[in-house]
Amino acid sequence: MYADDTNIFISGNNIDEMTNNLNNELKFLSVWFKANRLSLNIDKTHTLIFSLNSNDRKRNVNLKINDCLIETRDKTTFLGITMNNRLGWDDHNYIIYQTQSSKINRHFKESF
């Protein structure tokens, strides 16, 4: 069994402090998963730093669960919405544009 769409959100003013807090929460989460016979697919697990400061967004944080390093990304999909670390909509809008463009092109090809 897998725990789908598990998310942890941490806020703060200092990335190092947030990293420490999140690593502590990941330890608790790992114990909870084991107690409930759930497993985490580390290949689908990643972290995203939301910040208006570009230096913060570029940082690779050292987050681990079960001694496995968690990848830092600049965007992710959450409940069907693509979010980026700038809290902007450009990535999500582009995906919608591509999807709709493909549907329109397919419709025109079928019409002729």
Side-chain angles (χ1 to χ4, degrees), residues 5-36:
D5 297 328
T6 301
N7 293 277
I8 300 175
F9 294 91
I10 300 283
S11 64
N13 296 319
N14 179 309
I15 288 188
D16 294 325
E17 179 183 330
M18 288 187 301
T19 299
N20 186 45
N21 291 342
L22 188 51
N23 273 320
N24 287 333
E25 291 300 318
L26 290 170
K27 288 176 188 174
F28 290 124
L29 186 63
S30 178
V31 170
W32 186 88
F33 280 158
K34 287 176 187 168
N36 289 282

PDB file of all heavy atoms in Angstrom, residues 5-36:
ATOM      1  N   ASP A   5      -0.431  11.224  -2.361  1.00  0.00           N
ATOM      2  CA  ASP A   5      -0.578  12.668  -2.184  1.00  0.00           C
ATOM      3  C   ASP A   5      -0.367  13.133  -0.747  1.00  0.00           C
ATOM      4  O   ASP A   5      -1.097  13.962  -0.228  1.00  0.00           O
ATOM      5  CB  ASP A   5      -1.937  13.145  -2.700  1.00  0.00           C
ATOM      6  CG  ASP A   5      -2.091  12.921  -4.192  1.00  0.00           C
ATOM      7  OD1 ASP A   5      -1.072  12.988  -4.900  1.00  0.00           O
ATOM      8  OD2 ASP A   5      -3.213  12.680  -4.637  1.00  0.00           O
ATOM      9  N   THR A   6       0.628  12.594  -0.097  1.00  0.00           N
ATOM     10  CA  THR A   6       0.991  13.054   1.233  1.00  0.00           C
ATOM     11  C   THR A   6       1.817  14.323   1.083  1.00  0.00           C
ATOM     12  O   THR A   6       2.736  14.375   0.272  1.00  0.00           O
ATOM     13  CB  THR A   6       1.813  11.987   1.973  1.00  0.00           C
ATOM     14  OG1 THR A   6       1.030  10.793   2.069  1.00  0.00           O
ATOM     15  CG2 THR A   6       2.205  12.456   3.357  1.00  0.00           C
ATOM     16  N   ASN A   7       1.469  15.351   1.830  1.00  0.00           N
ATOM     17  CA  ASN A   7       2.174  16.628   1.752  1.00  0.00           C
ATOM     18  C   ASN A   7       2.465  17.142   3.145  1.00  0.00           C
ATOM     19  O   ASN A   7       1.655  16.972   4.063  1.00  0.00           O
ATOM     20  CB  ASN A   7       1.313  17.678   1.033  1.00  0.00           C
ATOM     21  CG  ASN A   7       1.120  17.345  -0.415  1.00  0.00           C
ATOM     22  OD1 ASN A   7       1.973  17.646  -1.222  1.00  0.00           O
ATOM     23  ND2 ASN A   7       0.003  16.706  -0.744  1.00  0.00           N
ATOM     24  N   ILE A   8       3.594  17.791   3.273  1.00  0.00           N
ATOM     25  CA  ILE A   8       3.941  18.491   4.502  1.00  0.00           C
ATOM     26  C   ILE A   8       4.312  19.915   4.088  1.00  0.00           C
ATOM     27  O   ILE A   8       5.107  20.103   3.169  1.00  0.00           O
ATOM     28  CB  ILE A   8       5.141  17.847   5.221  1.00  0.00           C
ATOM     29  CG1 ILE A   8       4.856  16.411   5.596  1.00  0.00           C
ATOM     30  CG2 ILE A   8       5.527  18.663   6.446  1.00  0.00           C
ATOM     31  CD1 ILE A   8       6.062  15.696   6.191  1.00  0.00           C
ATOM     32  N   PHE A   9       3.739  20.885   4.769  1.00  0.00           N
ATOM     33  CA  PHE A   9       4.059  22.281   4.512  1.00  0.00           C
ATOM     34  C   PHE A   9       4.689  22.865   5.766  1.00  0.00           C
ATOM     35  O   PHE A   9       4.144  22.732   6.859  1.00  0.00           O
ATOM     36  CB  PHE A   9       2.803  23.076   4.140  1.00  0.00           C
ATOM     37  CG  PHE A   9       2.205  22.659   2.834  1.00  0.00           C
ATOM     38  CD1 PHE A   9       1.231  21.671   2.783  1.00  0.00           C
ATOM     39  CD2 PHE A   9       2.626  23.244   1.648  1.00  0.00           C
ATOM     40  CE1 PHE A   9       0.673  21.277   1.577  1.00  0.00           C
ATOM     41  CE2 PHE A   9       2.074  22.851   0.433  1.00  0.00           C
ATOM     42  CZ  PHE A   9       1.101  21.867   0.397  1.00  0.00           C
ATOM     43  N   ILE A  10       5.848  23.501   5.593  1.00  0.00           N
ATOM     44  CA  ILE A  10       6.559  24.137   6.695  1.00  0.00           C
ATOM     45  C   ILE A  10       6.778  25.594   6.294  1.00  0.00           C
ATOM     46  O   ILE A  10       7.176  25.871   5.169  1.00  0.00           O
ATOM     47  CB  ILE A  10       7.934  23.472   6.944  1.00  0.00           C
ATOM     48  CG1 ILE A  10       7.796  21.997   7.293  1.00  0.00           C
ATOM     49  CG2 ILE A  10       8.738  24.219   7.988  1.00  0.00           C
ATOM     50  CD1 ILE A  10       7.359  21.710   8.697  1.00  0.00           C
ATOM     51  N   SER A  11       6.530  26.506   7.204  1.00  0.00           N
ATOM     52  CA  SER A  11       6.800  27.915   6.913  1.00  0.00           C
ATOM     53  C   SER A  11       7.766  28.461   7.948  1.00  0.00           C
ATOM     54  O   SER A  11       7.898  27.921   9.043  1.00  0.00           O
ATOM     55  CB  SER A  11       5.501  28.725   6.907  1.00  0.00           C
ATOM     56  OG  SER A  11       4.918  28.713   8.181  1.00  0.00           O
ATOM     57  N   GLY A  12       8.448  29.523   7.578  1.00  0.00           N
ATOM     58  CA  GLY A  12       9.388  30.152   8.489  1.00  0.00           C
ATOM     59  C   GLY A  12      10.178  31.223   7.789  1.00  0.00           C
ATOM     60  O   GLY A  12      10.010  31.466   6.596  1.00  0.00           O
ATOM     61  N   ASN A  13      11.059  31.830   8.523  1.00  0.00           N
ATOM     62  CA  ASN A  13      11.871  32.923   7.988  1.00  0.00           C
ATOM     63  C   ASN A  13      13.289  32.504   7.638  1.00  0.00           C
ATOM     64  O   ASN A  13      14.026  33.262   7.035  1.00  0.00           O
ATOM     65  CB  ASN A  13      11.936  34.076   9.004  1.00  0.00           C
ATOM     66  CG  ASN A  13      10.572  34.676   9.235  1.00  0.00           C
ATOM     67  OD1 ASN A  13       9.810  34.846   8.299  1.00  0.00           O
ATOM     68  ND2 ASN A  13      10.265  34.985  10.477  1.00  0.00           N
ATOM     69  N   ASN A  14      13.677  31.278   8.034  1.00  0.00           N
ATOM     70  CA  ASN A  14      15.052  30.830   7.861  1.00  0.00           C
ATOM     71  C   ASN A  14      15.032  29.420   7.280  1.00  0.00           C
ATOM     72  O   ASN A  14      14.462  28.503   7.885  1.00  0.00           O
ATOM     73  CB  ASN A  14      15.740  30.848   9.233  1.00  0.00           C
ATOM     74  CG  ASN A  14      17.155  30.380   9.194  1.00  0.00           C
ATOM     75  OD1 ASN A  14      17.465  29.326   8.662  1.00  0.00           O
ATOM     76  ND2 ASN A  14      18.024  31.168   9.811  1.00  0.00           N
ATOM     77  N   ILE A  15      15.663  29.228   6.121  1.00  0.00           N
ATOM     78  CA  ILE A  15      15.622  27.923   5.455  1.00  0.00           C
ATOM     79  C   ILE A  15      16.321  26.848   6.279  1.00  0.00           C
ATOM     80  O   ILE A  15      15.847  25.706   6.337  1.00  0.00           O
ATOM     81  CB  ILE A  15      16.221  28.009   4.041  1.00  0.00           C
ATOM     82  CG1 ILE A  15      15.251  28.772   3.149  1.00  0.00           C
ATOM     83  CG2 ILE A  15      16.499  26.638   3.464  1.00  0.00           C
ATOM     84  CD1 ILE A  15      15.583  28.794   1.711  1.00  0.00           C
ATOM     85  N   ASP A  16      17.400  27.185   6.941  1.00  0.00           N
ATOM     86  CA  ASP A  16      18.104  26.183   7.746  1.00  0.00           C
ATOM     87  C   ASP A  16      17.223  25.682   8.893  1.00  0.00           C
ATOM     88  O   ASP A  16      17.169  24.479   9.169  1.00  0.00           O
ATOM     89  CB  ASP A  16      19.421  26.759   8.290  1.00  0.00           C
ATOM     90  CG  ASP A  16      20.410  27.050   7.178  1.00  0.00           C
ATOM     91  OD1 ASP A  16      20.427  26.284   6.179  1.00  0.00           O
ATOM     92  OD2 ASP A  16      21.143  28.045   7.285  1.00  0.00           O
ATOM     93  N   GLU A  17      16.517  26.592   9.538  1.00  0.00           N
ATOM     94  CA  GLU A  17      15.604  26.204  10.615  1.00  0.00           C
ATOM     95  C   GLU A  17      14.445  25.366  10.069  1.00  0.00           C
ATOM     96  O   GLU A  17      14.072  24.353  10.656  1.00  0.00           O
ATOM     97  CB  GLU A  17      15.049  27.459  11.300  1.00  0.00           C
ATOM     98  CG  GLU A  17      14.082  27.171  12.419  1.00  0.00           C
ATOM     99  CD  GLU A  17      13.504  28.451  12.999  1.00  0.00           C
ATOM    100  OE1 GLU A  17      14.198  29.495  12.985  1.00  0.00           O
ATOM    101  OE2 GLU A  17      12.352  28.394  13.462  1.00  0.00           O
ATOM    102  N   MET A  18      13.917  25.766   8.916  1.00  0.00           N
ATOM    103  CA  MET A  18      12.821  24.998   8.311  1.00  0.00           C
ATOM    104  C   MET A  18      13.289  23.609   7.904  1.00  0.00           C
ATOM    105  O   MET A  18      12.563  22.632   8.063  1.00  0.00           O
ATOM    106  CB  MET A  18      12.237  25.744   7.109  1.00  0.00           C
ATOM    107  CG  MET A  18      11.432  26.965   7.497  1.00  0.00           C
ATOM    108  SD  MET A  18      10.575  27.746   6.120  1.00  0.00           S
ATOM    109  CE  MET A  18      11.896  28.166   5.027  1.00  0.00           C
ATOM    110  N   THR A  19      14.520  23.510   7.378  1.00  0.00           N
ATOM    111  CA  THR A  19      15.072  22.207   6.999  1.00  0.00           C
ATOM    112  C   THR A  19      15.177  21.306   8.207  1.00  0.00           C
ATOM    113  O   THR A  19      14.795  20.129   8.163  1.00  0.00           O
ATOM    114  CB  THR A  19      16.455  22.386   6.341  1.00  0.00           C
ATOM    115  OG1 THR A  19      16.313  23.176   5.167  1.00  0.00           O
ATOM    116  CG2 THR A  19      17.076  21.050   5.969  1.00  0.00           C
ATOM    117  N   ASN A  20      15.668  21.837   9.311  1.00  0.00           N
ATOM    118  CA  ASN A  20      15.785  21.062  10.547  1.00  0.00           C
ATOM    119  C   ASN A  20      14.406  20.603  11.029  1.00  0.00           C
ATOM    120  O   ASN A  20      14.217  19.433  11.375  1.00  0.00           O
ATOM    121  CB  ASN A  20      16.488  21.899  11.619  1.00  0.00           C
ATOM    122  CG  ASN A  20      16.774  21.101  12.863  1.00  0.00           C
ATOM    123  OD1 ASN A  20      17.253  19.969  12.787  1.00  0.00           O
ATOM    124  ND2 ASN A  20      16.463  21.686  14.006  1.00  0.00           N
ATOM    125  N   ASN A  21      13.427  21.524  11.036  1.00  0.00           N
ATOM    126  CA  ASN A  21      12.067  21.174  11.463  1.00  0.00           C
ATOM    127  C   ASN A  21      11.454  20.117  10.556  1.00  0.00           C
ATOM    128  O   ASN A  21      10.803  19.185  11.024  1.00  0.00           O
ATOM    129  CB  ASN A  21      11.177  22.411  11.496  1.00  0.00           C
ATOM    130  CG  ASN A  21      11.553  23.373  12.600  1.00  0.00           C
ATOM    131  OD1 ASN A  21      12.240  23.012  13.548  1.00  0.00           O
ATOM    132  ND2 ASN A  21      11.121  24.619  12.473  1.00  0.00           N
ATOM    133  N   LEU A  22      11.661  20.266   9.254  1.00  0.00           N
ATOM    134  CA  LEU A  22      11.084  19.310   8.313  1.00  0.00           C
ATOM    135  C   LEU A  22      11.741  17.940   8.446  1.00  0.00           C
ATOM    136  O   LEU A  22      11.055  16.916   8.380  1.00  0.00           O
ATOM    137  CB  LEU A  22      11.195  19.830   6.880  1.00  0.00           C
ATOM    138  CG  LEU A  22      10.479  19.024   5.812  1.00  0.00           C
ATOM    139  CD1 LEU A  22       9.032  18.753   6.177  1.00  0.00           C
ATOM    140  CD2 LEU A  22      10.555  19.747   4.477  1.00  0.00           C
ATOM    141  N   ASN A  23      13.041  17.882   8.647  1.00  0.00           N
ATOM    142  CA  ASN A  23      13.701  16.587   8.854  1.00  0.00           C
ATOM    143  C   ASN A  23      13.160  15.893  10.092  1.00  0.00           C
ATOM    144  O   ASN A  23      12.976  14.677  10.095  1.00  0.00           O
ATOM    145  CB  ASN A  23      15.220  16.754   8.930  1.00  0.00           C
ATOM    146  CG  ASN A  23      15.871  16.705   7.567  1.00  0.00           C
ATOM    147  OD1 ASN A  23      15.496  15.912   6.706  1.00  0.00           O
ATOM    148  ND2 ASN A  23      16.846  17.570   7.359  1.00  0.00           N
ATOM    149  N   ASN A  24      12.869  16.654  11.140  1.00  0.00           N
ATOM    150  CA  ASN A  24      12.257  16.065  12.341  1.00  0.00           C
ATOM    151  C   ASN A  24      10.866  15.522  12.024  1.00  0.00           C
ATOM    152  O   ASN A  24      10.509  14.430  12.467  1.00  0.00           O
ATOM    153  CB  ASN A  24      12.188  17.089  13.472  1.00  0.00           C
ATOM    154  CG  ASN A  24      13.544  17.362  14.066  1.00  0.00           C
ATOM    155  OD1 ASN A  24      14.432  16.518  14.039  1.00  0.00           O
ATOM    156  ND2 ASN A  24      13.719  18.570  14.595  1.00  0.00           N
ATOM    157  N   GLU A  25      10.072  16.274  11.264  1.00  0.00           N
ATOM    158  CA  GLU A  25       8.737  15.815  10.883  1.00  0.00           C
ATOM    159  C   GLU A  25       8.812  14.570   9.996  1.00  0.00           C
ATOM    160  O   GLU A  25       7.978  13.667  10.106  1.00  0.00           O
ATOM    161  CB  GLU A  25       7.959  16.923  10.164  1.00  0.00           C
ATOM    162  CG  GLU A  25       7.572  18.073  11.053  1.00  0.00           C
ATOM    163  CD  GLU A  25       6.688  17.648  12.219  1.00  0.00           C
ATOM    164  OE1 GLU A  25       5.772  16.818  12.020  1.00  0.00           O
ATOM    165  OE2 GLU A  25       6.918  18.150  13.334  1.00  0.00           O
ATOM    166  N   LEU A  26       9.814  14.517   9.125  1.00  0.00           N
ATOM    167  CA  LEU A  26       9.978  13.345   8.254  1.00  0.00           C
ATOM    168  C   LEU A  26      10.295  12.091   9.057  1.00  0.00           C
ATOM    169  O   LEU A  26       9.872  10.994   8.697  1.00  0.00           O
ATOM    170  CB  LEU A  26      11.049  13.608   7.199  1.00  0.00           C
ATOM    171  CG  LEU A  26      10.673  14.623   6.127  1.00  0.00           C
ATOM    172  CD1 LEU A  26      11.892  14.990   5.275  1.00  0.00           C
ATOM    173  CD2 LEU A  26       9.542  14.104   5.251  1.00  0.00           C
ATOM    174  N   LYS A  27      11.006  12.242  10.173  1.00  0.00           N
ATOM    175  CA  LYS A  27      11.272  11.100  11.048  1.00  0.00           C
ATOM    176  C   LYS A  27       9.969  10.578  11.654  1.00  0.00           C
ATOM    177  O   LYS A  27       9.730   9.374  11.674  1.00  0.00           O
ATOM    178  CB  LYS A  27      12.250  11.497  12.154  1.00  0.00           C
ATOM    179  CG  LYS A  27      13.660  11.710  11.672  1.00  0.00           C
ATOM    180  CD  LYS A  27      14.558  12.201  12.793  1.00  0.00           C
ATOM    181  CE  LYS A  27      15.910  12.606  12.258  1.00  0.00           C
ATOM    182  NZ  LYS A  27      16.759  13.222  13.292  1.00  0.00           N
ATOM    183  N   PHE A  28       9.124  11.501  12.123  1.00  0.00           N
ATOM    184  CA  PHE A  28       7.817  11.108  12.664  1.00  0.00           C
ATOM    185  C   PHE A  28       6.954  10.463  11.583  1.00  0.00           C
ATOM    186  O   PHE A  28       6.280   9.465  11.824  1.00  0.00           O
ATOM    187  CB  PHE A  28       7.078  12.307  13.261  1.00  0.00           C
ATOM    188  CG  PHE A  28       7.678  12.838  14.520  1.00  0.00           C
ATOM    189  CD1 PHE A  28       8.043  14.167  14.612  1.00  0.00           C
ATOM    190  CD2 PHE A  28       7.879  12.016  15.628  1.00  0.00           C
ATOM    191  CE1 PHE A  28       8.598  14.668  15.780  1.00  0.00           C
ATOM    192  CE2 PHE A  28       8.426  12.507  16.794  1.00  0.00           C
ATOM    193  CZ  PHE A  28       8.787  13.845  16.867  1.00  0.00           C
ATOM    194  N   LEU A  29       6.989  11.028  10.391  1.00  0.00           N
ATOM    195  CA  LEU A  29       6.201  10.498   9.286  1.00  0.00           C
ATOM    196  C   LEU A  29       6.650   9.087   8.926  1.00  0.00           C
ATOM    197  O   LEU A  29       5.832   8.206   8.676  1.00  0.00           O
ATOM    198  CB  LEU A  29       6.315  11.418   8.068  1.00  0.00           C
ATOM    199  CG  LEU A  29       5.450  11.077   6.879  1.00  0.00           C
ATOM    200  CD1 LEU A  29       3.978  11.190   7.235  1.00  0.00           C
ATOM    201  CD2 LEU A  29       5.785  11.992   5.712  1.00  0.00           C
ATOM    202  N   SER A  30       7.932   8.848   8.920  1.00  0.00           N
ATOM    203  CA  SER A  30       8.465   7.526   8.609  1.00  0.00           C
ATOM    204  C   SER A  30       7.975   6.487   9.614  1.00  0.00           C
ATOM    205  O   SER A  30       7.561   5.389   9.238  1.00  0.00           O
ATOM    206  CB  SER A  30       9.993   7.569   8.600  1.00  0.00           C
ATOM    207  OG  SER A  30      10.521   6.299   8.359  1.00  0.00           O
ATOM    208  N   VAL A  31       7.984   6.842  10.885  1.00  0.00           N
ATOM    209  CA  VAL A  31       7.482   5.943  11.929  1.00  0.00           C
ATOM    210  C   VAL A  31       5.993   5.682  11.722  1.00  0.00           C
ATOM    211  O   VAL A  31       5.528   4.541  11.827  1.00  0.00           O
ATOM    212  CB  VAL A  31       7.757   6.533  13.336  1.00  0.00           C
ATOM    213  CG1 VAL A  31       7.028   5.751  14.413  1.00  0.00           C
ATOM    214  CG2 VAL A  31       9.251   6.593  13.601  1.00  0.00           C
ATOM    215  N   TRP A  32       5.237   6.727  11.394  1.00  0.00           N
ATOM    216  CA  TRP A  32       3.798   6.581  11.179  1.00  0.00           C
ATOM    217  C   TRP A  32       3.509   5.674   9.987  1.00  0.00           C
ATOM    218  O   TRP A  32       2.639   4.821  10.040  1.00  0.00           O
ATOM    219  CB  TRP A  32       3.161   7.964  10.975  1.00  0.00           C
ATOM    220  CG  TRP A  32       1.673   7.904  10.891  1.00  0.00           C
ATOM    221  CD1 TRP A  32       0.793   7.953  11.931  1.00  0.00           C
ATOM    222  CD2 TRP A  32       0.890   7.771   9.705  1.00  0.00           C
ATOM    223  NE1 TRP A  32      -0.492   7.863  11.460  1.00  0.00           N
ATOM    224  CE2 TRP A  32      -0.466   7.754  10.090  1.00  0.00           C
ATOM    225  CE3 TRP A  32       1.196   7.670   8.350  1.00  0.00           C
ATOM    226  CZ2 TRP A  32      -1.510   7.638   9.184  1.00  0.00           C
ATOM    227  CZ3 TRP A  32       0.158   7.556   7.432  1.00  0.00           C
ATOM    228  CH2 TRP A  32      -1.174   7.542   7.858  1.00  0.00           C
ATOM    229  N   PHE A  33       4.269   5.865   8.891  1.00  0.00           N
ATOM    230  CA  PHE A  33       4.102   4.993   7.716  1.00  0.00           C
ATOM    231  C   PHE A  33       4.339   3.531   8.092  1.00  0.00           C
ATOM    232  O   PHE A  33       3.560   2.651   7.729  1.00  0.00           O
ATOM    233  CB  PHE A  33       5.059   5.377   6.589  1.00  0.00           C
ATOM    234  CG  PHE A  33       4.622   6.545   5.753  1.00  0.00           C
ATOM    235  CD1 PHE A  33       5.558   7.272   5.034  1.00  0.00           C
ATOM    236  CD2 PHE A  33       3.298   6.928   5.667  1.00  0.00           C
ATOM    237  CE1 PHE A  33       5.165   8.335   4.243  1.00  0.00           C
ATOM    238  CE2 PHE A  33       2.896   7.988   4.881  1.00  0.00           C
ATOM    239  CZ  PHE A  33       3.832   8.702   4.171  1.00  0.00           C
ATOM    240  N   LYS A  34       5.419   3.272   8.808  1.00  0.00           N
ATOM    241  CA  LYS A  34       5.732   1.889   9.196  1.00  0.00           C
ATOM    242  C   LYS A  34       4.649   1.307  10.101  1.00  0.00           C
ATOM    243  O   LYS A  34       4.250   0.157   9.931  1.00  0.00           O
ATOM    244  CB  LYS A  34       7.095   1.843   9.887  1.00  0.00           C
ATOM    245  CG  LYS A  34       8.251   2.031   8.929  1.00  0.00           C
ATOM    246  CD  LYS A  34       9.584   2.077   9.652  1.00  0.00           C
ATOM    247  CE  LYS A  34      10.685   2.428   8.678  1.00  0.00           C
ATOM    248  NZ  LYS A  34      11.945   2.757   9.331  1.00  0.00           N
ATOM    249  N   ALA A  35       4.168   2.106  11.046  1.00  0.00           N
ATOM    250  CA  ALA A  35       3.136   1.629  11.973  1.00  0.00           C
ATOM    251  C   ALA A  35       1.830   1.312  11.245  1.00  0.00           C
ATOM    252  O   ALA A  35       1.071   0.447  11.675  1.00  0.00           O
ATOM    253  CB  ALA A  35       2.889   2.675  13.061  1.00  0.00           C
ATOM    254  N   ASN A  36       1.580   1.998  10.145  1.00  0.00           N
ATOM    255  CA  ASN A  36       0.344   1.802   9.387  1.00  0.00           C
ATOM    256  C   ASN A  36       0.554   0.974   8.117  1.00  0.00           C
ATOM    257  O   ASN A  36      -0.315   0.942   7.248  1.00  0.00           O
ATOM    258  CB  ASN A  36      -0.273   3.162   9.048  1.00  0.00           C
ATOM    259  CG  ASN A  36      -0.841   3.822  10.275  1.00  0.00           C
ATOM    260  OD1 ASN A  36      -1.922   3.470  10.722  1.00  0.00           O
ATOM    261  ND2 ASN A  36      -0.085   4.752  10.852  1.00  0.00           N
TER     262      ASN A  36
END
